[in-house]
Amino acid sequence: MMGPRQVAQGALFYEFSIEEFVPKDHPLRGIDRFLDLSSVRPLLAPSYSSHGRPSIDPELMIRMLLLGYCQGIRSERRLCEEVHVNLAYRWFCKLDLADPVPDHSTFSKNRHGRFRESGVFRHLFETVLQCCIDEGLVGGDSFGVDASLIPANANQTRGVDSKEGLPLELTSRALDEYLETLDDAAFGASTKAVPKYISPVDPAARWTGADGGAAFFAYSTNYMVDLDIAVIVDVEPTVPIRPAETLAARRMIDRVHDRFGLKPDKLVGDTGYGSAEILGWLVEERRIAPHIPVWDKSKRTDGTFSRDDFNYDPLADRYTCPAGKTLEKSRRNFTKPRATNVSKDGLIRYRASKQDCDGCALKAKCCPTQPARKVLRSVHEAARDIARDIRKTDAYMTSFIQRRKVEMLFAHLKRYIGLSMMRLRGPKGANEQFQLAATAQNLRKLAKLVPEPVQT
């Protein structure tokens, strides 16, 4: 028979425990096992007054922020609503059933003050990374580096022409951060090229069409990943410019070595990291094998001889052309020897004799429009040759396949972490979002791969 109608009746007393209502296999339980915030309060203590009304627990706010990134909740207003009604979220944030949830405006107040000044988000990322190292998830032998475009939180149709400049009456926190980073090689000083448009709400975001489609304002998030189990070992925000991204790779390699003593045997990347400067830095200064395609534009397409057709003799330091003639750096003795033959762009010019070229039968295929042939060689050409030799090995093919792990992390970042578009503005906002997102990705990996110890 049909049972009686269910009518809600308020009881006078309840015996309730949130711990019993959260399933043992809930993903947040695995994340909570590796989230240690015991060092947060001492780090933030100088930012709080010794008297006055007690503040909201900073550990609570950081737990809520991490929860938003782990669950892909972009809005802090919605995050507060979800924590208010979801028992698992309350349990993760250490809130009892009757405890109030902080107002969403509290996050902005602390973000622009205590959190950014103390560097708590970088500290949190490194704490979780140290946990990954302790659990054996970081091999430290092979690192992969890559960058991904994240559209800025700016109207793409309301950019100001860079020739006109920003309005003089414009004032904002994002503008102040933009002015602070004009001399930073990862932002304003990354290139002398002036973008076509500047966003008035986020001037540090770069107008770019690097993805091949319509141009838009964007930042680049740079990941350095240990390729064994795809753990993020460092993260850095830059503008989407190749020199800025290669600079971020250098900074991340040095920072990981200084903080954790990790130095990879090889670095895996795409052609964007194959310039002569970065290859020379990796091979000559850091002794890291570059599993990177060489950025080379010496190949000619007009039917004339390319630089590869000339043989280089490292002992004599000269080239030999297909006709058997030599190309020298200098063909006469100077009374006052020249200090260097290297140009400002880091290239050495090897010249053939005009007399040899005039009577050569191969001049039409070598230098038909020039009196004599010249060959340019980078000062880091030896490092480029090492990268070319590595590309011919089977180890490079393995690295080529492993590089997809970095791209998968970017896909995970945009689909599950919810960072398909920037939510905050300015370089500091980008730094906060990228660090919290990378921390959330490492926490999720820890919870997935490290089993919970069996209690006896």
Side-chain angles (χ1 to χ4, degrees):
M1 67 178 180
M2 184 180 297
R5 183 184 299 274
Q6 185 70 32
V7 179
Q9 297 180 357
L12 295 178
F13 302 99
Y14 289 95
E15 184 178 349
F16 185 85
S17 174
I18 296 182
E19 178 71 28
E20 298 177 358
F21 277 80
V22 179
K24 297 298 181 182
D25 58 347
H26 198 281
L28 290 180
R29 284 191 178 271
I31 293 174
D32 183 69
R33 285 193 295 126
F34 301 101
L35 185 59
D36 182 13
L37 300 180
S38 58
S39 59
V40 167
R41 295 183 70 89
L43 182 64
L44 294 174
S47 302
Y48 286 89
S49 175
S50 58
H51 58 278
R53 189 172 60 179
S55 68
I56 298 174
D57 185 4
E59 295 183 24
L60 169 61
M61 289 186 286
I62 291 176
R63 279 184 173 272
M64 291 182 65
L65 286 173
L66 275 175
L67 174 67
Y69 282 89
C70 289
Q71 300 301 112
I73 303 174
R74 289 180 49 85
S75 169
E76 289 170 357
R77 188 187 297 268
R78 179 171 166 244
L79 174 63
C80 294
E81 296 173 354
E82 292 290 336
V83 172
H84 181 71
V85 300
N86 193 307
L87 291 179
Y89 293 175
R90 277 185 171 269
W91 174 87
F92 180 79
C93 296
K94 309 303 179 184
L95 290 174
D96 203 356
L97 196 62
D99 291 336
V101 179
D103 189 75
H104 64 88
S105 61
T106 308
F107 295 97
S108 298
K109 180 66 176 177
N110 286 273
R111 170 183 296 116
H112 299 302
R114 302 183 181 99
F115 290 167
R116 290 183 180 175
E117 293 172 359
S118 62
V120 65
F121 298 121
R122 166 60 63 176
H123 173 76
L124 182 63
F125 171 78
E126 293 180 350
T127 301
V128 175
L129 176 58
Q130 184 62 55
C131 188
C132 294
I133 296 174
D134 296 340
E135 295 292 340
L137 300 185
V138 177
D141 297 328
S142 59
F143 285 178
V145 63
D146 205 352
S148 181
L149 293 178
I150 307 293
N153 184 11
N155 193 324
Q156 312 297 338
T157 62
R158 294 190 178 181
V160 178
D161 195 321
S162 58
K163 296 180 181 179
E164 300 177 1
L166 295 172
L168 297 177
E169 65 276 6
L170 182 65
T171 58
S172 66
R173 184 179 290 106
L175 177 61
D176 296 339
E177 295 179 10
Y178 164 69
L179 297 176
E180 292 175 2
T181 57
L182 284 179
D183 296 330
D184 189 351
F187 285 94
S190 59
T191 178
K192 295 182 179 179
V194 180
K196 186 175 182 180
Y197 297 108
I198 301 177
S199 171
V201 296
D202 193 356
R206 182 87 179 186
W207 180 258
T208 178
D211 63 347
F216 57 96
F217 296 108
Y219 287 92
S220 273
T221 175
N222 298 267
Y223 275 5
M224 183 157 289
V225 179
D226 184 89
L227 295 179
D228 285 353
I229 311 182
V231 173
I232 304 170
V233 296
D234 209 342
V235 56
E236 181 92 3
T238 62
V239 291
I241 299 293
R242 185 170 59 87
E245 294 171 355
T246 56
L247 174 65
R250 293 189 186 189
R251 289 179 176 177
M252 290 188 290
I253 289 176
D254 289 341
R255 184 163 50 224
V256 170
H257 181 262
D258 294 339
R259 303 284 178 86
F260 303 98
L262 297 176
K263 180 185 175 183
D265 296 330
K266 64 179 181 180
L267 182 71
V268 182
D270 56 19
T271 314
Y273 301 91
S275 63
E277 294 78 11
I278 185 67
L279 293 177
W281 182 82
L282 288 171
V283 174
E284 299 163 8
E285 298 186 27
R286 294 298 181 267
R287 301 295 188 269
I288 299 175
H291 288 233
I292 302 171
V294 178
W295 181 279
D296 194 357
K297 292 187 176 181
S298 63
K299 187 70 175 178
R300 293 191 174 186
T301 58
D302 58 354
T304 58
F305 294 134
S306 300
R307 188 183 61 192
D308 295 341
D309 299 317
F310 293 75
N311 296 323
Y312 178 70
D313 184 358
L315 297 178
D317 191 17
R318 63 187 181 188
Y319 278 93
T320 303
C321 72
K325 305 298 181 180
T326 60
L327 286 78
E328 308 281 351
K329 289 191 296 185
S330 177
R331 289 190 168 273
R332 55 178 174 166
N333 297 323
F334 293 91
T335 304
K336 184 177 180 181
R338 293 185 176 182
T340 179
N341 291 317
V342 182
S343 63
K344 293 181 180 180
D345 51 2
L347 296 175
I348 304 175
R349 287 168 172 79
Y350 294 80
R351 297 175 176 86
S353 171
K354 183 177 182 299
Q355 184 178 5
D356 292 339
C357 292
D358 287 341
C360 182
L362 300 177
K363 180 176 174 58
K365 293 194 62 177
C366 185
C367 53
T369 61
Q370 298 175 353
R373 179 61 187 262
K374 292 184 294 185
V375 172
L376 302 180
R377 179 181 176 86
S378 172
V379 293
H380 304 294
E381 196 64 32
R384 287 156 58 90
D385 290 338
I386 291 176
R388 293 187 183 101
D389 294 339
I390 291 176
R391 191 171 183 180
K392 302 174 184 178
T393 63
D394 295 336
Y396 178 85
M397 295 305 300
T398 303
S399 301
F400 179 80
I401 297 173
Q402 287 181 328
R403 197 179 71 191
R404 300 175 185 174
K405 295 181 181 180
V406 189
E407 299 172 357
M408 289 300 297
L409 283 172
F410 288 138
H412 183 276
L413 171 73
K414 298 175 182 180
R415 182 170 182 178
Y416 298 107
I417 304 299
L419 202 59
S420 57
M421 191 182 85
M422 302 289 291
R423 183 167 50 87
L424 306 178
R425 292 170 177 164
K428 293 182 180 179
N431 195 40
E432 173 188 333
Q433 291 181 94
F434 297 160
Q435 288 176 357
L436 281 173
T439 304
Q441 287 181 281
N442 283 345
L443 281 171
R444 290 169 62 108
K445 190 172 293 292
L446 276 167
K448 180 180 180 180
L449 297 181
V450 181
E452 186 175 0
V454 179
Q455 297 182 357
T456 59

